[in-house]
Amino acid sequence: MSTPRVFIARFIPEEYLALVRSTCQVDLWPDDLPPPRDVLLERVKGVDGILSLLTDKIDSAVMDAAGSGLKVISNCAVGFDNIDVSEATRRGIPVGNTPGVLTDTTADFAFALLMAAARRVVEGHNYVQAGRWKTWGLTQLLGQDISGAALGIIGFGRIGKAVAKRAMGFDMRILYYDPMCEDDPYAAQISARCVDLDTILTQSDYLSLHVPLYKDTYHFIGEAELAKMKPTAVLVNTARGGVVDPDALYRALRDGVIGYAALDVTEPEPIPLDHPLLSLENVLIAPHIASASVQTRGKMIEIALANLLAGVRGEQLRHCVNPQVYMTDLE
Ligand code: NAD
């Protein structure tokens, strides 16, 4: 058997690559920016495996360019909305992701955003830097309480539950909306209430989004949903930018329909500097860094490389989002 060829679509430190280099011919995209589309299509020609990031659109054109020898697409993320999974499944190509290892880190960051928004941390810093801090003011930079407030969680999966766990330490009342987890035992343990969409929108002081992005969740939070929220509500999005309609969000924040938005993800990414959202004071935007800790990124790289190696060897991936590809083998 010839040495498998793999394309790795982003710089990965050498210390992680020893095993894959000893087994495969590795083409490593050396840049911090993603490969341009034409380069991606060229570099994947004839490869056995692709390691992609969420910035790389892996669709049928990329699979065609790779050719019939493509055995695995390994995404270095838990989300996989950048990959045409049904097309990969149709072709019998397993798609890997990196669930679990980024749950706590992402939940930590969602909570950091929630707290920063509630207590106007970034505005406070800007206030000091601009030389506006003249005295201790009774009504200066007032925020909203976190303790005792109602936290709504949309998407009660791994990260949604981990956010709920953090919220318990703040005595928050936890509501969640997730049609797939109506009788969740963890919810019972922490007295989280499963509610319908209207209730979570109207009753939450903080609303944190943790659904994957797919056709049904695209612009899940739009004008109608924002209109139902409290005028003081804080919207936190660490899921995917496309889950929120950015134009509707801009209008809602501008017009006081909701109080604040704290976003780790935007549509598009990166958000253009002239985007109207950036002109507002009641918005806080981070550059998609919710899973960005030294420890977690290391674990994500290890899992993505393990998935890549398993795939080129014809072994089952440790974390596979389309396990149907193995079932058809058995038929
Ligand atoms: P998960 O699969 O464990 O949880 C997702 C939950 O959403 C599931 O419980 C599912 O039932 C629920 N859900 C699906 N559709 C829904 C709908 N229409 N309404 C309500 N609930 C719905 O996934 P996870 O590990 O918790 O990750 C969630 C998402 O977070 C990922 O798909 C990814 O896009 C995003 N994420 C972002 C970052 C970041 O860096 N900002 C990091 C990790 C994950």
Side-chain angles (χ1 to χ4, degrees):
M1 199 183 93
S2 60
T3 310
R5 287 180 49 211
V6 295
F7 178 64
I8 299 181
R10 197 65 61 86
F11 171 75
I12 288 180
E14 264 320 302
E15 71 225 48
Y16 292 100
L17 292 172
L19 186 58
V20 76
R21 281 204 187 283
S22 69
T23 336
C24 303
Q25 197 182 317
V26 178
D27 180 10
L28 178 77
W29 179 247
D31 218 341
D32 278 338
L33 289 176
R37 179 78 178 167
D38 56 330
V39 175
L40 176 67
L41 289 169
E42 185 57 36
R43 298 281 278 262
V44 299
K45 274 188 186 155
V47 297
D48 298 86
I50 298 172
L51 190 150
S52 52
L53 267 62
L54 50 86
T55 44
D56 308 308
K57 185 173 177 193
I58 308 292
D59 55 9
S60 59
V62 174
M63 297 176 213
D64 282 343
S68 57
L70 184 62
K71 297 183 188 68
V72 59
I73 300 163
S74 171
N75 214 35
C76 193
V78 63
F80 44 85
D81 44 281
N82 57 310
I83 298 175
D84 186 341
V85 176
S86 44
E87 181 58 28
T89 307
R90 197 184 65 73
R91 297 172 188 234
I93 302 168
V95 175
N97 70 339
T98 65
V101 290
L102 39 52
T103 297
D104 284 320
T105 306
T106 306
D108 287 346
F109 198 74
F111 221 82
L113 286 180
L114 183 156
M115 294 189 72
R119 301 304 308 276
R120 303 174 67 178
V121 172
V122 176
E123 283 170 89
H125 176 78
N126 293 341
Y127 189 86
V128 173
Q129 239 184 6
R132 294 171 63 198
W133 185 16
K134 306 291 183 209
T135 183
W136 186 92
L138 258 184
T139 56
Q140 187 175 291
L141 284 168
L142 301 186
Q144 299 288 330
D145 273 337
I146 297 164
S147 299
L151 170 66
I153 295 175
I154 298 193
F156 204 60
R158 287 173 291 245
I159 298 170
K161 287 192 180 80
V163 169
K165 185 174 169 191
R166 282 147 183 78
M168 282 174 63
F170 287 79
D171 294 326
M172 296 184 90
R173 286 172 289 122
I174 302 163
L175 312 174
Y176 74 94
Y177 170 75
D178 188 328
M180 271 72 85
C181 313
E182 281 170 1
D183 295 314
D184 193 277
Y186 184 64
Q189 208 182 308
I190 62 168
S191 307
R193 218 159 41 91
C194 180
V195 295
D196 61 22
L197 191 55
D198 261 24
T199 306
I200 205 161
L201 291 169
T202 53
Q203 294 193 6
S204 298
D205 298 304
Y206 300 89
L207 187 66
S208 196
L209 307 178
H210 301 287
V211 288
L213 175 62
Y214 61 108
K215 205 159 59 61
D216 291 355
T217 56
Y218 181 70
H219 288 189
F220 193 76
I221 300 294
E223 188 162 352
E225 291 71 29
L226 291 161
K228 290 178 183 164
M229 292 171 66
K230 296 186 182 183
T232 50
V234 173
L235 178 70
V236 178
N237 188 7
T238 56
R240 284 288 183 267
V243 174
V244 177
D245 175 348
D247 299 330
L249 179 62
Y250 166 68
R251 290 191 298 272
L253 289 165
R254 182 197 60 190
D255 300 342
V257 175
I258 68 166
Y260 211 107
L263 315 171
D264 181 49
V265 287
T266 59
E267 185 195 46
E269 286 185 11
I271 189 165
L273 271 181
D274 60 357
H275 195 288
L277 273 174
L278 287 174
S279 68
L280 299 172
E281 291 207 337
N282 52 347
V283 68
L284 160 54
I285 303 183
H288 203 149
I289 53 171
S291 70
S293 75
V294 175
Q295 297 80 355
T296 290
R297 285 292 163 83
K299 289 176 197 159
M300 288 167 67
I301 291 171
E302 279 166 11
I303 294 179
L305 286 169
N307 278 339
L308 181 72
L309 262 183
V312 298
R313 288 171 169 159
E315 295 162 8
Q316 199 148 332
L317 311 194
R318 192 157 123 209
H319 297 288
C320 183
V321 304
N322 57 345
Q324 316 85 291
V325 293
Y326 300 117
M327 288 170 212
T328 44
D329 275 358
L330 297 175
E331 279 168 11

